[in-house]
Amino acid sequence: MRTANRTYQLWFEIMESAANIPSPVSLFDLYVAMSLVFNMRGTQEALDYYEKVKAEIDERVKQKIPVVPGERLRLHYENMPLWYSFRKDRDFFASYGVNVLTNLYLYMFVNHYPDVSDPLEALSTEYERASLNIWGEVARAKIICELIERFSLNGFILHNVRTCKNSSGGLWHIAKLVTERTGIPGLVFDADHGDPRFYNEEYVRGIWRQYLEVIRK
Amino acid sequence: MNRSEISKTFAEFLESPYEKLRKRKVTWGKMMVGHLMPGVPPEIIHAAGMLPVALLGSNKPVSKVDAHMSQSICSLMRSNLEVALSGDLYFMDGIVLNHMCECARSMSQIWYDVFPTRFFDVVMLPKKLDSSPVVKARLMEELSRFNTNLEDFAGQKISNDSLKETISLYNQGRDHLRKLYAIKRDNPQLISSRDVFSAIKSSVMMPKEEHNNLLSQLLSELESQVGNRPVTDNAVKVVLVGMVIEPLDILDIIEEVGGYVVGDNLSIGSRLIASDVRLDGDPKEAIIDHHLASPAFSGYVDPRVDSRQSLLKLVEENQAEGVIFVVLFQCDPYVYDYPDLKTALDNSRIPNLQIQTDLWTTSLMPIRTRLQAFVERIRGV
């Protein structure tokens, strides 16, 4: 658990590094990097991996190397990516000078164990604090507002994942709350993280483009 | 009132239940609490001196809810929130929701933000049901918490005696509805399925004392006519599977094409009236035991019950000739169960059909065609 806590701390710092302008990482990097902290937390391999990633990011911050050259817009993207269109989506946003940076999915299954002296108690406490178990739409909207401020974001795109009602059922309400509080318009689009039958590239790209035009102006 | 007047009363109430309750409240003076079901025990709300009103949405198309919820949420929950957003529930003093499925969870997270009421609670019941001490202890903990919250709001204690009195009243209602259902099953021409299900549906929204009284009058008239009319020989007996049957017009269609309902496992149907809550011992424990003993509901995991075998038994006991799955679009618990249940029916060579609807489905012709073909297939026409 102590190793897990150190790993989580590094993971948190890596996610936070996206607050730099320009950002040394994108959400697409983080989606790839999250697998170890989700699945191998507590192992030395995971800790070693995040130490290497953190060192690389620190260097990029020092040298001001952007992950998206000419970064013009910075976005929050909610829920899972379109895994089957991952590289294409990364390139799509980058081609518009858009860096997608933040996402609550990255925080969803990972927490810091506050007190490891009683491991079972620590696990129970983490379960009680796990965002997936306690966040509601209102809380998520509040956190997105905080991210918009902390990461200097220009907009937010919310993915209505057709096969995950738990995370998607109330996205329209979240969008409404965030826009009311920040004045920034948001976009909700329909697709699915794993089932491409719910994905229409023309539709998704079309509304992404339109949305980017709106916030660019 | 005679039976047609009573059936008309139920039907008219269901056409605009919230408007009727709002008008009623002006003179009635009692507080009203809307609640999701299954899972939230209405007996506790009633024993606190309030009227429990099941939140069953409405058959009107939605418009406002699209600004808050995904279209991948079922029409029951979307319609419930639409009713709230439309201002039709503003007379409600309290709302009690639960997390019986992902759609209900999603709605409950938004509800209070868009429709704050003086009393609001979310009753969190265990998803896995068995008779283990852990499950019973958790149920008792949650119902006691809910009970205390409700007492604080009502400004009065819920005594064991008053809860038992309420349970007795609700048992009486369940008993009446079971008798009504049995009359329909054995004398299908005496009363329509729609009238029976309207009686069941209205029972969870109307004041219980009044509903029981109407049912009592209805039963006494029907019981005097039992056996006077012959059962139609070639009517096809069907069992309904699902959570709710909406819109109720589907029941008319089933009868018009030559079928009739002899059994079901609907939450707003036989599951609601399957058994009584016992009156001896601690009343909250009795409510918990009743909850644990209720027939399977797809929103819960119940390792004690094989829902495939329960369905086959339901078909066999009622000598049904076919099964109709009536599933709301996007109702995941029932959509997930469907393949297993269908396979079990197919293996037993029991004809079955799935129809999917929204609460506001108005284009029923395709459903009629499918039901007609289904009944004709069973008849061998």
Side-chain angles (χ1 to χ4, degrees):
Chain A
M1 279 185 160
R2 286 190 191 92
T3 308
N5 271 351
R6 284 164 59 201
T7 309
Y8 170 77
Q9 185 58 35
L10 283 168
W11 172 239
F12 186 75
E13 286 168 15
I14 290 166
M15 289 192 293
E16 285 294 305
S17 71
N20 286 284
I21 300 175
S23 171
V25 290
S26 79
L27 177 61
F28 294 96
D29 303 317
L30 297 172
Y31 274 138
V32 173
M34 75 181 185
S35 58
L36 270 70
V37 77
F38 279 30
N39 300 313
M40 293 175 67
R41 196 158 35 125
T43 66
Q44 189 59 43
E45 289 89 341
L47 183 61
D48 292 346
Y49 170 74
Y50 289 109
E51 277 172 351
K52 280 184 190 166
V53 173
K54 178 73 172 48
E56 186 184 330
I57 284 174
D58 286 347
E59 191 56 33
R60 290 176 77 99
V61 172
K62 205 167 143 189
Q63 296 185 34
K64 289 193 178 297
I65 302 172
V67 71
V68 174
E71 178 185 285
R72 288 189 299 162
L73 291 172
R74 295 159 66 87
L75 297 185
H76 174 84
Y77 176 99
E78 188 62 4
N79 278 339
M80 303 78 129
L82 308 169
W83 290 113
Y84 42 83
S85 179
F86 194 78
R87 179 185 286 272
K88 281 162 79 177
D89 293 347
R90 183 200 66 174
D91 294 345
F92 169 84
F93 284 111
S95 71
Y96 282 79
V98 174
N99 198 356
V100 189
L101 299 166
T102 56
N103 177 294
L104 298 189
Y105 188 55
L106 304 178
Y107 299 81
M108 248 177 203
F109 308 94
V110 196
N111 258 326
H112 181 262
Y113 299 116
D115 178 6
V116 296
S117 58
D118 182 344
L120 211 55
E121 185 71 27
L123 279 172
S124 310
T125 308
E126 196 231 3
Y127 184 79
E128 282 181 352
R129 291 167 62 233
S131 53
L132 190 67
N133 299 330
I134 59 169
W135 282 353
E137 274 67 7
V138 177
R140 282 168 74 189
K142 187 169 173 275
I143 299 169
I144 292 171
C145 290
E146 288 166 8
L147 293 177
I148 285 174
E149 193 175 342
R150 197 160 83 237
F151 288 80
S152 313
L153 306 177
N154 309 100
F156 58 99
I157 293 178
L158 311 179
H159 175 192
N160 179 37
V161 182
R162 294 301 294 252
T163 57
C164 186
K165 293 176 186 183
N166 195 37
S167 66
S168 301
L171 289 182
W172 279 260
H173 190 65
I174 291 176
K176 191 170 171 292
L177 293 179
V178 174
T179 300
E180 277 170 7
R181 286 174 199 173
T182 63
I184 296 174
L187 171 73
V188 186
F189 75 97
D190 276 319
D192 193 78
H193 64 127
D195 189 342
R197 288 174 300 177
F198 291 109
Y199 174 63
N200 180 325
E201 184 171 314
E202 211 169 318
Y203 151 75
V204 170
R205 290 291 160 84
I207 57 170
W208 281 357
R209 269 190 208 100
Q210 286 169 24
Y211 178 67
L212 295 179
E213 280 300 311
V214 169
I215 57 169
R216 195 174 59 82
K217 286 172 184 169
Chain B
M1 277 201 262
N2 63 33
R3 50 171 282 203
S4 63
E5 287 169 335
I6 294 168
S7 291
K8 196 176 164 198
T9 303
F10 292 150
E12 283 180 352
F13 175 83
L14 292 175
E15 276 175 22
S16 53
Y18 309 112
E19 189 189 336
K20 291 195 172 59
L21 288 168
R22 178 178 57 79
K23 286 180 181 165
R24 183 69 187 277
K25 196 183 170 190
V26 176
T27 52
W28 205 39
K30 276 191 179 182
M31 289 202 278
M32 296 184 178
V33 174
H35 67 92
L36 280 186
M37 62 177 302
V40 178
E43 289 93 338
I44 295 180
I45 300 171
H46 183 277
M50 305 176 211
L51 174 67
V53 180
L55 296 171
L56 297 177
S58 95
N59 297 116
K60 292 179 194 164
V62 297
S63 58
K64 296 182 171 65
V65 73
D66 286 342
H68 301 271
M69 283 179 96
S70 166
Q71 291 184 359
S72 55
I73 298 295
C74 76
S75 58
L76 180 57
M77 296 307 150
R78 275 160 52 77
S79 179
N80 272 328
L81 196 65
E82 175 78 17
V83 172
L85 289 164
S86 304
D88 292 347
L89 293 182
Y90 78 89
F91 64 94
M92 286 281 180
D93 300 280
I95 293 290
V96 185
L97 306 178
N98 63 17
H99 285 191
M100 64 178 160
C101 60
E102 288 196 346
C103 294
R105 187 215 67 84
S106 189
M107 186 190 72
S108 68
Q109 298 283 357
I110 298 169
W111 189 287
Y112 191 74
D113 202 39
V114 300
F115 187 72
T117 38
R118 289 195 294 145
F119 179 76
F120 180 77
D121 204 325
V122 180
V123 176
M124 304 281 274
L125 302 179
K127 299 296 282 180
K128 184 178 174 184
L129 296 186
D130 58 35
S131 302
S132 72
V134 177
V135 171
K136 287 185 104 169
R138 174 70 193 114
L139 280 163
M140 180 55 86
E141 184 183 29
E142 184 62 0
L143 288 194
S144 299
R145 183 199 60 75
F146 173 56
N147 189 87
T148 306
N149 275 2
L150 209 55
E151 284 176 340
D152 290 346
F153 175 62
Q156 66 175 66
K157 286 278 172 200
I158 302 170
S159 68
N160 278 358
D161 285 345
S162 66
L163 189 49
K164 282 185 180 182
E165 210 173 294
T166 293
I167 289 171
S168 176
L169 184 74
Y170 273 71
N171 282 349
Q172 188 188 38
R174 284 184 272 257
D175 185 54
H176 285 342
L177 288 169
R178 280 195 298 270
K179 284 178 179 154
L180 181 66
Y181 205 105
I183 288 173
K184 168 65 189 172
R185 185 176 54 228
D186 301 333
N187 306 265
Q189 290 180 326
L190 209 49
I191 183 167
S192 71
S193 295
R194 188 190 183 109
D195 284 348
V196 173
F197 279 87
S198 292
I200 295 174
K201 187 177 172 185
S202 57
S203 78
V204 294
M205 301 182 88
M206 284 175 76
K208 186 55 78 178
E209 299 81 351
E210 190 180 312
H211 198 270
N212 282 0
N213 186 26
L214 289 171
L215 280 177
S216 180
Q217 292 176 51
L218 179 63
L219 280 173
S220 61
E221 188 176 333
L222 287 173
E223 279 165 351
S224 69
Q225 295 170 2
V226 163
N228 288 349
R229 299 183 190 194
V231 175
T232 310
D233 289 337
N234 62 350
V236 170
K237 298 175 185 172
V238 296
V239 157
L240 303 179
V241 175
M243 182 169 172
V244 294
I245 179 153
E246 289 289 350
L248 291 174
D249 309 60
I250 292 169
L251 293 161
D252 293 336
I253 296 174
I254 290 172
E255 296 199 341
E256 283 162 20
V257 300
Y260 78 98
V261 179
V262 291
D264 73 88
N265 68 4
L266 305 175
S267 293
I268 311 298
S270 291
R271 189 179 187 276
L272 187 72
I273 56 175
S275 63
D276 288 342
V277 180
R278 64 181 160 75
L279 283 164
D280 58 318
D282 180 82
K284 277 204 282 297
E285 267 184 35
I287 289 172
I288 288 168
D289 289 341
H290 181 253
H291 177 70
L292 291 169
S294 292
F297 165 62
S298 288
Y300 300 132
V301 177
D302 191 340
R304 303 165 303 169
V305 178
D306 183 335
S307 52
R308 292 164 299 190
Q309 292 305 319
S310 300
L311 177 56
L312 294 175
K313 196 174 160 204
L314 182 66
V315 171
E316 190 184 335
E317 281 174 354
N318 290 291
Q319 298 175 314
E321 296 157 271
V323 171
I324 301 171
F325 292 89
V326 280
V327 180
L328 292 177
F329 282 112
Q330 311 290 357
C331 178
D332 286 348
Y334 284 92
V335 172
Y336 289 156
D337 277 1
Y338 172 70
D340 277 352
L341 296 176
K342 178 175 172 49
T343 303
L345 292 171
D346 289 346
N347 290 343
S348 299
R349 297 183 180 281
I350 297 167
N352 57 84
L353 173 76
Q354 187 199 48
I355 52 175
Q356 292 201 352
T357 60
D358 283 322
L359 257 66
W360 48 80
T361 296
T362 51
S363 175
L364 292 168
M365 194 52 82
I367 291 174
R368 171 185 289 275
T369 306
R370 296 184 67 211
L371 286 170
Q372 188 166 5
F374 180 65
V375 168
E376 285 175 1
R377 178 157 67 93
I378 294 172
R379 274 187 186 150
V381 173

